[in-house]
Amino acid sequence: VQVTESGGGSVQAGGSLTLSCEVSGLTESRYCLGWFRDVPGMEREMVGTRCTNSATIIPDSVKGRFTASKDNMKHTGSLQMDRLEPADAGTYYCAACPYPMSRTSLSACRTWSSYIHWGQGTQVIVSS
């Protein structure tokens, strides 16, 4: 399984960035595509996830500014980030969490430890 992110970069506060993700080689049809942010000295944070059944998690810290989407046919996803703040800077990862029929998508894929296929990460820099 290969997960590839793209779209990171540098932006001024208040600006927007779109991160893209492509998953290949995954045989499971039901999975959540999550986005996570790593900042040195802080715990890894989920900033959005979108599942095959369209269930979505957007945490309060980015709600109203970040939008996660997923194309089930193309096995791609994106994270639209608007009104970026300096605190949004970090390394962003896309990851896939397959879930079985016996569980709901969000119960199976609520935490980063449930995601088993990870991309290489892309850097987001937000200047004030």
Side-chain angles (χ1 to χ4, degrees):
V1 178
Q2 188 168 1
V3 179
T4 306
E5 308 105 337
S6 60
S10 182
V11 66
Q12 286 193 325
S16 298
L17 277 176
T18 302
L19 305 183
S20 299
C21 180
E22 182 174 0
V23 181
S24 60
L26 187 62
T27 58
E28 294 92 338
S29 59
R30 288 178 300 276
Y31 64 96
C32 298
L33 200 59
W35 294 91
F36 300 85
R37 176 168 66 203
D38 273 5
V39 177
M42 298 182 66
E43 188 175 347
R44 175 169 290 173
E45 178 186 14
M46 176 188 285
V47 292
T49 197
R50 179 88 169 183
C51 306
T52 299
N53 61 354
S54 297
T56 303
I57 296 175
I58 300 290
D60 289 343
S61 60
V62 299
K63 190 167 289 183
R65 301 189 298 118
F66 287 17
T67 304
S69 64
K70 181 175 180 287
D71 188 320
N72 292 331
M73 296 298 292
K74 296 181 179 178
H75 295 287
T76 58
S78 66
L79 182 70
Q80 175 67 37
M81 305 184 293
D82 297 319
R83 301 196 306 278
L84 283 160
E85 305 168 354
D88 294 320
T91 303
Y92 283 69
Y93 295 88
C94 175
C97 169
Y99 58 91
M101 286 185 68
S102 59
R103 297 188 66 184
T104 64
S105 57
L106 296 186
S107 68
C109 301
R110 184 168 292 276
T111 63
W112 69 265
S113 58
S114 301
Y115 291 73
I116 59 175
H117 306 295
W118 289 79
Q120 78 285 359
T122 185
Q123 195 76 15
V124 171
I125 300 169
V126 184
S127 57
S128 56

